[in-house]
């Protein structure tokens, strides 16, 4: 059964906006995007009239902790940080996500349909990240890609966690050494594995090193938590020593070395931006920084780091960055196609394009206008959220079977 969204101001992001546009969906995929004259709508298609509204792809949160840092659940819902092992490469965010976390419902109200859930930053190597839809009854049914990357942290957080335990790593030197030692062991492990395969001998597997070999082989990117410019440079140094694909998470002082990041083609997932200067590492936090990075030629994505900033404020961060110098087109791309491209999800999400998932959001107006609302949200072609204008409240369809 096909569904045709007709009559709206369609913003595909990857191409120019279309007045009186049509988006045709077949099942859970987009099959056509264009003007009313360009898209042939089947006679038996369900028609969704979005006249007077804006139609966009669902937003992509590139760095969040929804489901692993549950709001209002205190220690019971804190599953982002395994603070007992500096090298947690074998750990998977997937195993800690509660799909019933309130953050998923907040995401829908803000037009966010894809979330890359990451372990926290307590460990030098925190674990594997996962991209999920913002709606579902079981996390395995929500997965877009798993794993997406491996989370790592430099700077203040791992120093504090292990310094309080009076064990390695308690300094920046120690944090870098843990990462360097881990990759050196992974290189040796890879050589032993290749030898065992050549001679047909069995070999005991190491689940931690298996993951790091995938990073070395380029299968997984390295999501590096780093705020200060010196930590970002350390991240670059380590990545060049071992040859892995680096993505900078947070990048609060990235604007100080924007030319270096641009020259090396390293993307930055920047944020959270609506926070106080709660620690030394974020003393240069500014809404101007994304614009500085983008103008230097750095590919950026904006993040809330939910629950640090509520995930439904993702688009508002982008809007406020426009006020401080980020161009509107890049602002919109920073929460759609850019994070999808940075994290290798652009074959599924981030734009309105034939072949991509039918994750669509009907907005009352331009989503970069703070007065606009997400009125209806569709994931994989199914309506999962709508704003009830009578009650003034958002309504999320329950994914759980009842009765």
């Amino acid at each position: 059964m096909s569904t045709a969204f007709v009559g709206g101001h369609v913003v595909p992001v990857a191409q120019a906006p279309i007045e009186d546009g049509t988006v045709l969906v077949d099942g859970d995929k987009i099959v056509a995007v264009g003007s009313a004259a360009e898209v042939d709508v089947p006679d038996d298609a369900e028609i969704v009239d979005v006249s007077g509204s804006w139609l966009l792809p669902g937003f992509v949160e590139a760095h969040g902790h929804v489901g692993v840092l549950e709001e209002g659940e205190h220690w019971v819902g804190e599953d982002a940080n395994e603070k007992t092992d500096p090298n947690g490469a074998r750990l998977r965010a997937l195993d800690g996500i509660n799909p019933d976390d309130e953050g998923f419902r907040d995401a829908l109200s803000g037009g966010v349909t894809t979330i890359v859930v990451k372990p926290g930053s307590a460990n030098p190597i925190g674990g594997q990240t996962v991209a999920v839809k913002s709606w579902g009854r079981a996390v395995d049914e929500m997965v877009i890609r798993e794993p997406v990357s491996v989370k790592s942290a430099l700077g203040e957080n791992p120093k504090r966690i292990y310094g309080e335990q009076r064990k390695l790593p308690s300094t920046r030197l120690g944090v870098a050494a843990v990462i360097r030692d881990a990759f050196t062991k992974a290189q040796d492990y890879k050589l032993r594995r290749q030898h065992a395969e050549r001679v047909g001998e069995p070999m005991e597997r190491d689940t931690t090193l298996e993951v790091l070999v995938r990073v070395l082989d380029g299968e997984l990117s390295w999501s590096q938590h780093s705020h200060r410019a010196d930590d970002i440079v350390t991240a670059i140094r380590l990545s060049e020593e071992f040859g892995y694909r680096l993505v900078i998470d947070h990048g609060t002082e990235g604007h100080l070395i924007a030319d270096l990041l641009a020259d090396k083609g390293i993307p930055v997932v920047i944020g959270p931006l609506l926070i106080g200067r709660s620690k030394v590492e974020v003393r240069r936090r500014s809404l101007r920084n994304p614009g500085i990075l983008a103008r230097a030629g750095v590919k950026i994505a904006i993040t809330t780091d939910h629950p640090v900033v509520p995930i439904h404020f993702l688009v508002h961060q982008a809007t406020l960055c426009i006020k401080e110098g980020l161009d509107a087109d890049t602002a919109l791309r920073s929460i759609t196609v850019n994070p999808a491209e940075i994290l290798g999800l652009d074959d599924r999400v981030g734009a309105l394009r034939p072949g991509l998932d039918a994750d669509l959001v009907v907005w009352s107006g331009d989503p970069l206008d703070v007065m606009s609302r997400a009125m209806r949200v569709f994931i994989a072609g199914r309506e999962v959220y709508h704003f009830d204008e009578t009650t003034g409240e958002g309504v999320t369809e329950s994914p759980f079977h009842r009765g």
Side-chain angles (χ1 to χ4, degrees), residues 149-313:
S149 62
V150 176
K151 169 70 177 292
S152 174
L154 293 171
E156 197 170 310
N157 288 0
K159 271 185 58 175
R160 174 176 53 82
I161 294 298
Y162 288 93
E164 290 173 352
Q165 299 178 39
R166 303 186 66 81
K167 58 191 282 190
L168 182 76
S170 62
T171 63
R172 280 181 164 80
L173 287 69
V175 173
V178 167
I179 296 170
R180 188 174 283 112
D181 288 349
F183 276 115
T184 300
K185 290 177 182 177
Q187 288 176 327
D188 293 342
Y189 178 84
K190 180 179 178 180
L191 291 173
R192 292 197 305 274
R193 191 178 66 182
Q194 290 173 340
H195 173 74
E197 290 171 353
R198 278 198 306 270
V199 300
E201 292 179 351
M203 178 179 168
E204 183 177 351
R205 296 174 63 190
D206 185 310
T207 54
T208 296
L209 296 178
E210 290 276 354
V211 174
L212 295 178
V213 168
R214 295 183 68 185
V215 175
L216 292 172
D217 287 347
E219 294 179 33
L220 302 174
S221 59
W222 191 252
S223 291
Q224 186 69 74
H225 167 114
S226 43
H227 286 280
R228 281 183 8 185
D230 59 328
D231 288 328
I232 296 171
V233 171
T234 296
I236 295 171
R237 182 184 315 117
L238 288 166
S239 71
E240 291 182 344
E241 284 180 31
F242 294 98
Y244 52 76
R245 286 188 293 124
L246 176 64
V247 176
I248 296 297
D249 282 353
H250 305 306
T252 302
E253 293 186 358
H255 64 290
L256 300 178
I257 51 171
D259 57 336
L260 177 63
L261 289 164
D263 287 346
K264 293 182 178 295
I266 299 171
V268 176
V269 177
I270 187 166
L273 297 165
L274 299 180
I275 58 169
R277 295 178 177 88
S278 57
K279 58 183 181 178
V280 172
E281 289 182 348
V282 296
R283 68 188 185 280
R284 286 195 173 98
R285 184 270 304 144
S286 171
L287 289 161
R288 295 179 61 244
N289 294 348
I292 295 171
L293 286 166
R295 287 191 295 276
V298 178
K299 179 175 285 190
I300 65 165
I302 290 176
T303 177
T304 63
D305 195 14
H306 178 94
V308 180
V309 172
I311 193 168
H312 50 301
F313 291 170

Side-chain angles (χ1 to χ4, degrees), residues 316-335:
H316 299 324
Q317 289 193 143
T319 295
L320 292 173
C321 287
I322 295 172
K323 180 182 177 182
E324 299 298 332
L326 180 64
D327 73 274
D329 179 65
T330 302
L332 186 58
R333 294 180 70 90
S334 75
I335 54 177

